[in-house]
Amino acid sequence: MSDLDPTPEYPGDVAGLARELVRIRSENPPGEERAVAEYVVDWCEHHGLDAELVGTPDAPDRPNAVATVGTLAGDGPTLVLNGHTDVVPAGDRDAWTHDPYGGEIVSTDDGDVLYGRGSADMKTGVAVALVTALELAPRFEDGEFDGALVVHAAAGEETGLPGTETLVDEGYGGDYAVVLEPTGLRVATSAKGVVTYRVTVHGASAHASHPDEGANAIDAARALFDRVDAYDAAVREREDDLVGRGYATVTSVEAGTDGNMAVLPDAAEFLLDRRVLPGESIEDVDAEIEGLLADAAREDGVDADVETVQYYRSASIPADHAFAALVREETGDRAPSDPWGLEAATDAREFVAAGIPAIVWGPGSLSQAHTVDEHVSLDEATEALAVLEAVAERVQDGDLEE
């Protein structure tokens, strides 16, 4: 532990730190991560840990925080504990039983529970990572360990901002990584990717009393929706053993909302969500969508164009990778140990793309992510702390050396 006494402002325990992180609003959109990133750096400095802000390209108001224990250029390995600081908007506050930014801890028959936006996804994971670094710092400082432990508090994960990518590019990538999304302490070695497309269908406006004088963009969009349905059916035939099926889903539609109610819309816009399996490339998926629109133009006369709103590549390492096996072993009977993958996209992709073995593992349930009255078990978070300390010790002891 740090020689400095914890204070209410900078608690040194997981429950207290997670509570403080939840109380700092960091919604994305619009992208309010700076306050929580600055708090992470202040927390680290209070406890004697080295930390700094790292800017995100093209987003100067949305920095990342990174803490380093040990020596990055040392003789031993570097383990990265990765988390993100942004949370999705809380939405209607009146729908919440607990204040989404109150950081309320409630005692239940099953233990203490922390409520609030980001409690599960994933500020408790960030707290576990930071306290792990705090607990192990003396062993790095005394020379018992020759490598390093790095904690990422990255910006923009929810909307594809390259927070984690930036930290990896800046030299904080390490040899192994744990992405602390809420998995109930189950080890995921694969995660789906996703591409979100904005499709704009063009028509010609006319007064609704003379519809034949125009071309209703909504009618043209109907033909595209039929093609998306057929494409979705085909994509569902593709299946990964760990993460399940691919999907193509229309998630938002807008047409005519800015015009007169009696005028045919000259454009209809919709968002298409395409879930990407390990082994599928973004480029191949792009080509499929372009082909879908080309077929609609040629066979249905639909005039449409498409742009990519955001994308996350899929990620996977072998299910029997030695690092995954080590984390499963240390997790023990706290969670199922059979091979498993996440249907959601995560920042694990940034590590895998850089050749760094990464697993997704952390306290909390993914079903709580983005929900009203989001909450997390603090007992599980305490268990996660013990596991991560043991994992870090074994990594530093060379248990993964070939």
Side-chain angles (χ1 to χ4, degrees), residues 138-176:
R139 301 176 70 176
F140 285 92
E141 294 166 359
D142 293 344
E144 179 180 350
F145 298 146
D146 294 328
L149 180 66
V150 175
V151 177
H152 288 182
E157 188 272 349
E158 296 290 357
T159 57
L161 190 78
T164 293
E165 180 183 0
T166 298
L167 292 173
V168 172
D169 289 346
E170 291 294 324
Y172 298 104
D175 299 295
Y176 309 96

Side-chain angles (χ1 to χ4, degrees), residues 2-215:
S2 168
D3 292 333
L4 296 174
D5 291 333
T7 68
E9 188 176 4
Y10 301 114
D13 63 295
V14 168
L17 178 54
R19 179 191 62 226
E20 293 304 312
L21 292 172
V22 167
R23 288 174 173 173
I24 304 172
R25 176 174 170 145
S26 54
E27 290 189 350
N28 176 26
E32 303 170 336
E33 298 96 335
R34 174 174 287 277
V36 69
E38 290 176 341
Y39 174 85
V40 167
V41 171
D42 290 345
W43 184 92
C44 289
E45 292 178 348
H46 175 84
H47 289 285
L49 304 181
D50 291 335
E52 63 177 315
L53 295 179
V54 177
T56 306
D58 301 322
D61 293 330
R62 303 176 65 183
N64 311 279
V66 60
T68 305
V69 175
T71 306
L72 283 172
D75 296 329
T78 294
L79 173 64
V80 178
L81 306 180
N82 171 271
H84 61 83
T85 56
D86 58 325
V87 301
V88 299
D92 181 5
R93 300 289 188 94
D94 292 338
W96 288 68
T97 305
H98 303 271
D99 181 351
Y101 295 109
E104 183 179 355
I105 297 176
V106 177
S107 295
T108 73
D109 292 340
D110 296 322
D112 288 345
V113 174
L114 171 65
Y115 281 86
R117 175 57 81 229
S119 55
D121 184 20
M122 57 181 295
K123 288 181 174 178
T124 299
V126 173
V128 170
L130 288 167
V131 176
T132 299
L134 180 63
E135 295 283 358
L136 294 180
R139 301 176 70 176
F140 285 92
E141 294 166 359
D142 293 344
E144 179 180 350
F145 298 146
D146 294 328
L149 180 66
V150 175
V151 177
H152 288 182
E157 188 272 349
E158 296 290 357
T159 57
L161 190 78
T164 293
E165 180 183 0
T166 298
L167 292 173
V168 172
D169 289 346
E170 291 294 324
Y172 298 104
D175 299 295
Y176 309 96
V178 179
V179 178
L180 285 153
E181 295 284 1
T183 70
L185 305 186
R186 194 172 185 184
V187 174
T189 53
S190 297
K192 283 183 184 177
V194 60
V195 192
T196 303
Y197 299 99
R198 179 178 288 108
V199 180
T200 303
V201 184
H202 303 286
S205 62
H207 198 281
S209 63
H210 298 88
D212 294 340
E213 294 179 1

Side-chain angles (χ1 to χ4, degrees), residues 342-362:
L342 274 177
E343 295 190 3
T346 77
D347 272 353
R349 65 188 179 275
E350 307 298 355
F351 297 99
V352 173
I356 301 166
I359 57 109
V360 185
W361 175 97

Side-chain angles (χ1 to χ4, degrees), residues 212-365:
D212 294 340
E213 294 179 1
N216 193 331
I218 295 174
D219 292 336
R222 287 195 186 106
L224 265 185
F225 292 156
D226 290 340
R227 289 188 178 273
V228 169
D229 287 345
Y231 176 59
D232 177 56
V235 169
R236 286 170 183 253
E237 294 298 317
R238 308 171 194 175
E239 190 166 3
D240 179 86
D241 290 341
L242 298 186
V243 302
R245 294 188 174 99
Y247 299 103
T249 308
V250 174
T251 59
S252 175
V253 180
E254 185 174 359
T257 54
D258 294 330
N260 187 288
M261 289 185 292
V263 175
L264 272 63
D266 61 0
E269 183 177 284
F270 65 90
L271 296 180
L272 176 60
D273 179 295
R274 170 64 159 88
R275 296 289 151 165
V276 182
L277 301 181
E280 292 187 308
S281 72
I282 300 295
E283 292 76 15
D284 288 343
V285 173
D286 287 345
E288 291 176 355
I289 300 303
E290 292 286 356
L292 185 152
L293 295 183
D295 290 344
R298 183 178 61 256
E299 299 174 16
D300 304 324
V302 174
D303 177 15
D305 51 55
V306 62
E307 64 173 318
T308 299
V309 178
Q310 62 183 21
Y311 70 89
Y312 305 80
R313 297 185 184 277
S314 59
S316 66
I317 63 172
D320 61 353
H321 191 283
F323 181 57
L326 186 154
V327 179
R328 289 191 193 103
E329 183 178 337
E330 290 301 331
T331 302
D333 60 4
R334 297 177 176 89
S337 60
D338 52 312
W340 181 65
L342 274 177
E343 295 190 3
T346 77
D347 272 353
R349 65 188 179 275
E350 307 298 355
F351 297 99
V352 173
I356 301 166
I359 57 109
V360 185
W361 175 97
S365 170

